[in-house]
Amino acid sequence: MLNVIIFGAPGSGKGTQSEFLIAKYGLDHISTGDVLRGAIKKGSELGLLAKGFMDEGKLVPDDLIIKLISNFLDEKSDSKGVLFDGFPRTIPQAKALKEMLNERGTDISVLIDLQVDDEELIKRLLERGKISGRSDDNLETIQARLDVYHTQTAPLATYYISEEKYSAIKGVGAIEDISQRIDQVVQLTMIQ
């Protein structure tokens, strides 16, 4: 089973490269936002609990997110693999994910870290804001999101380096070139 984490700062190209990986390898895509919205739409007990936190503007607690992802994995037991997007975000989440996957006889194959410097990220996100009209793509919010990424999420790289599952990819250049660099890493991962 091929289990890939797509990782990088806001604006690094995770969404674009996720589409490539899903199409090329037939992976199921798991995004915490999608999982939350799906559970709420189904009206499941976990979904209703999550909705309560979200309606109050609070973050959904890790244990609830982990239960929702565990349910998703159970539903996808015949999957070729999973692309994790937006999860894990913290080391405790990474450890919980490892435990969930190990219980199902699998593990993370690779974490792909799309590396783009902050100046380029800001440029991309401001441009995306002009095109899409996304209200969170303004300079102040972008700076805040990058600060959160660097302080809270980036330390995950160290965890996956210690697990020997980490691969840094230059996330600048033509989209096809970045996809090719990612594909080379995935191909190597599959033969190990």
Side-chain angles (χ1 to χ4, degrees):
M1 194 172 190
L2 178 65
N3 295 310
V4 177
I5 298 171
I6 190 94
F7 186 75
S12 62
K14 294 184 300 293
T16 301
Q17 295 305 327
S18 290
E19 290 173 14
F20 159 74
L21 286 166
I22 291 163
K24 171 123 191 197
Y25 293 100
L27 301 176
D28 285 302
H29 181 239
I30 186 166
S31 149
T32 49
D34 292 346
V35 169
L36 286 168
R37 285 185 290 278
I40 290 166
K41 188 175 179 180
K42 284 182 187 173
S44 71
E45 183 180 339
L46 293 175
L48 294 174
L49 275 171
K51 185 177 186 316
F53 286 101
M54 294 165 70
D55 287 349
E56 293 176 25
K58 296 178 182 174
L59 288 175
V60 178
D62 276 1
D63 62 331
L64 187 51
I65 294 281
I66 289 162
K67 286 177 188 169
L68 287 164
I69 289 174
S70 181
N71 288 348
F72 176 90
L73 292 173
D74 288 341
E75 292 170 7
K76 303 292 183 181
S77 59
D78 61 344
S79 176
K80 293 179 182 177
V82 178
L83 177 70
F84 293 90
D85 177 4
F87 184 87
R89 290 186 189 264
T90 63
I91 290 172
Q93 287 182 357
K95 289 178 177 177
L97 178 59
K98 180 176 182 65
E99 187 177 316
M100 273 189 281
L101 291 172
N102 289 172
E103 287 169 358
R104 291 161 177 83
T106 188
D107 201 351
I108 289 299
S109 306
V110 65
L111 175 139
I112 295 171
D113 185 359
L114 293 172
Q115 299 190 323
V116 180
D117 67 53
D118 281 5
E119 186 177 318
E120 176 67 18
L121 292 169
I122 291 167
K123 186 176 119 187
R124 287 180 183 183
L125 291 168
L126 287 173
E127 189 60 33
R128 181 176 80 182
K130 287 179 194 171
I131 295 167
S132 70
R134 278 182 58 161
S135 61
D136 61 339
D137 285 341
N138 63 70
L139 188 56
E140 187 178 331
T141 305
I142 291 167
Q143 287 285 10
R145 289 167 59 206
L146 290 175
D147 289 345
V148 167
Y149 171 78
H150 290 304
T151 58
Q152 295 178 22
T153 307
L156 266 179
T158 305
Y159 173 80
Y160 282 101
I161 289 169
S162 73
E163 291 278 308
E164 299 180 359
K165 306 283 185 181
Y166 177 85
S167 187
I169 299 289
K170 181 181 169 192
V172 179
I175 290 171
E176 297 78 17
D177 293 341
I178 298 166
S179 298
Q180 186 175 16
R181 290 192 284 269
I182 290 171
D183 193 39
Q184 288 171 348
V185 167
V186 171
Q187 292 292 327
L188 280 173
T189 300
M190 292 172 68
I191 59 172
Q192 291 177 342

